[in-house]
Amino acid sequence: MTPTDLPGEAAEYIADLLDLEAEETRGEAVDWVTDYDALGLGPDSEGTRSSGPALWYPGATTFLKMPTQGTYPRNYPVGAVVHFTAGRSEKGDADAENTIRYGASLKHCYFCISATGRIYQTAPLNRWGSHAGRSSYPGLGESLSSKLVGIEVCGAGIVQQTDQGFEPGWNKTSSRKTYYTADQVRRVEKTANITQAGYYLQFTPAQEESLLTLLRWLQANHPTVFQFQYVLGHDEIAPARKQDPGGSLSLLMPDLRARLLAAPVVSPPPAEPVLPAPAPAPVSPPAPEPAAAPETEPGGGFRMADLFVTRGRRPAPSRSSRTIPGGTRSAAAEAPEAAESGEEPTGQPLPSAVGAFVTPQSVMSFPIASGAVAMLSKLAKGLVQGVEENVLILGAASVIGLLIFLVTLSDAQVRPRTPLKWAIAILMALINTAFLAVSATGLGSVALQAVGAGE
């Protein structure tokens, strides 16, 4: 069957759905199966409800079936391949079902996730079908359809920017044009699993939530076989010719694996449509402990800002406390959000007021700074005639205070990140300068008397 064999609008839907290729069988006989009920492998078959790993995901829609070629070598996939369909998704479940029907006509087989987040399962988990094509990966060998289950996420994939919006590839051949807005796409550069820079239609939040939930269940259902390290992108197992999921997924594939490894699910979800998990409960960090002495970098290097800032260290919370909808996240996934929100990453030094002489380090830093002000004002008095001593001391205190402020700001961990924190930091710098001037006035008098006695 070809796209033009299908009636009406369905032909347009599937015109550019997938880059399809037949799985190499190397001359072996293919055990094509579609009638799983007849084999006792259907979702309602008694055999699939016996002890051992479930063959059907409890929350899946299962009325559509796709053909499989054989049994997995370990009777279960050792991992999964994440794809995008490169097809239409705007009509939600209807587009997903069109994708499945057309894929079945080409003897392909996979899970499918619609734009609504609905998960379709089309074959039992002990049977494999074609989805990866020519593929390989270290530790797995080649022809990975027979080892990894396919998960197609409905979406256009790569799109091009035009005056009308961002258009998918099928606009060039289809009479039904589609354009996406800037907030629906994501631009990425080549890195990690991204094999082609450019604009990608983003997966919906519901799709990504369903993807994570399904992957966690697949591992929990047979933890001795399914391994998160083998949750791969099509662009990782066929990088010379594939771009999915690419920038359609909000995480790079290594970060997705890190998130999965951080918190595998321990029980199957209920047989209901996937719903968003509740928001995580806030976790209050413990109060920072005062530093007894200036810290050093891991390599032992001293930081000038340590003279002026108290640092504590927030202990890393347990993994169970770092919750996201659908599970926990890795520190690698947390860090970008922490940087945007102004929060310190877990386990990093906590900043205090910038340049404030109200820390244990004050015992060391304040007298040094005051002495520097006195010496600088004395030097200025010898160079500038006719200026009152107190004015020179105030000027010297301002210079030293500014230097302290700038040195402190050189440490990114204590640099203010909000307008309010900047205002507090500047106010503290001014107070420090005033303290320096008052203190240095006394030190300056002592210095002048000592100089006079020497003359």
Side-chain angles (χ1 to χ4, degrees):
M1 180 179 290
T2 65
T4 55
D5 294 326
L6 298 177
E9 193 178 29
E12 292 186 1
Y13 269 83
I14 50 101
D16 290 303
L17 275 176
L18 300 168
D19 180 11
L20 301 163
E21 64 258 288
E23 191 76 17
E24 295 181 14
T25 59
R26 303 180 186 276
E28 300 173 2
V30 177
D31 181 20
W32 292 108
V33 173
T34 304
D35 190 354
Y36 303 112
D37 291 319
L39 295 178
L41 297 175
D44 298 320
S45 300
E46 186 66 29
T48 62
R49 295 195 295 270
S50 61
S51 60
L55 298 182
W56 295 85
Y57 174 62
T61 297
T62 59
F63 71 92
L64 293 171
K65 302 299 188 294
M66 303 182 83
T68 53
Q69 300 187 38
T71 302
Y72 286 108
R74 302 184 66 181
N75 290 310
Y76 197 83
V78 299
V81 179
V82 181
H83 306 256
F84 57 57
T85 61
R88 299 185 187 274
S89 59
E90 306 83 63
K91 290 190 176 181
D93 296 348
D95 284 332
E97 290 162 17
N98 276 325
T99 297
I100 293 169
R101 290 188 181 98
Y102 184 58
S105 74
L106 294 162
K107 298 188 181 302
H108 283 203
C109 184
Y110 38 74
F111 280 90
C112 189
I113 302 178
S114 79
T116 67
R118 181 181 293 274
I119 297 173
Y120 293 82
Q121 184 176 351
T122 61
L125 282 167
N126 62 339
R127 301 277 307 176
W128 71 269
S130 178
H131 63 88
R134 297 181 304 279
S135 53
S136 63
Y137 194 77
L140 294 176
E142 300 180 343
S143 299
L144 298 185
S145 287
S146 62
K147 300 165 187 176
L148 309 174
V149 68
I151 304 176
E152 291 277 358
V153 184
C154 290
I158 296 174
V159 294
Q160 303 297 323
Q161 187 173 20
T162 70
D163 292 339
Q164 291 79 26
F166 295 86
E167 67 170 5
W170 66 73
N171 270 13
K172 296 179 175 60
T173 57
S174 173
S175 60
R176 179 175 160 231
K177 306 298 183 185
T178 303
Y179 295 96
Y180 301 104
T181 59
D183 61 347
Q184 293 179 287
V185 304
R186 176 185 297 111
R187 176 169 176 78
V188 296
E189 302 299 330
K190 290 182 65 173
T191 182
N193 62 290
I194 307 294
T195 57
Q196 180 173 326
Y199 293 99
Y200 291 73
L201 180 67
Q202 301 181 59
F203 292 155
T204 67
Q207 285 177 317
E208 295 207 0
E209 184 66 23
S210 292
L211 176 63
L212 285 167
T213 303
L214 174 59
L215 289 168
R216 290 190 178 107
W217 180 85
L218 287 168
Q219 195 276 338
N221 186 46
H222 205 339
T224 60
V225 174
F226 191 97
Q227 303 296 316
F228 285 144
Q229 64 177 318
Y230 293 137
V231 173
L232 306 168
H234 205 181
D235 46 17
E236 292 182 295
I237 63 173
R241 61 190 184 87
K242 290 298 179 180
Q243 299 83 39
D244 53 323
S248 292
L249 185 65
S250 64
L251 295 171
L252 296 172
M253 288 304 301
D255 292 332
L256 176 65
R257 288 189 287 273
R259 179 176 292 190
L260 291 168
L261 287 164
V265 76
V266 295
S267 60
E272 295 290 338
V274 178
L275 298 176
V283 179
S284 300
E289 299 177 1
E295 288 189 1
T296 61
E297 295 285 5
F302 178 68
R303 292 182 292 205
M304 286 295 294
D306 289 327
L307 286 174
F308 315 115
V309 185
T310 296
R311 298 172 187 275
R313 188 170 291 275
R314 180 186 294 129
S318 66
R319 286 176 173 173
S320 61
S321 68
R322 293 152 65 181
T323 308
I324 61 166
T328 64
R329 63 173 42 182
S330 66
E334 263 177 9
E337 295 181 9
E340 292 176 4
S341 64
E343 298 176 357
E344 291 298 318
T346 301
Q348 297 297 320
L350 297 171
S352 63
V354 174
F357 291 109
V358 291
T359 69
Q361 291 93 325
S362 302
V363 176
M364 176 170 52
S365 62
F366 192 87
I368 294 174
S370 298
V373 170
M375 296 298 294
L376 184 59
S377 61
K378 174 61 178 175
L379 178 62
K381 185 175 181 180
L383 299 175
V384 181
Q385 303 297 326
V387 180
E388 292 186 7
E389 180 182 353
N390 289 339
V391 174
L392 293 175
I393 291 176
L394 180 59
S398 300
V399 171
I400 298 299
L402 178 61
L403 287 175
I404 292 172
F405 186 67
L406 294 177
V407 167
T408 306
L409 291 181
S410 68
D411 189 339
Q413 292 176 342
V414 299
R415 189 179 303 135
R417 293 186 177 90
T418 66
L420 177 60
K421 291 182 179 179
W422 272 105
I424 294 174
I426 294 172
L427 176 62
M428 293 306 301
L430 294 174
I431 293 174
N432 290 340
T433 300
F435 279 139
L436 280 174
V438 171
S439 175
T441 300
L443 293 176
S445 298
V446 172
L448 288 175
Q449 292 175 6
V451 171
E455 292 175 352

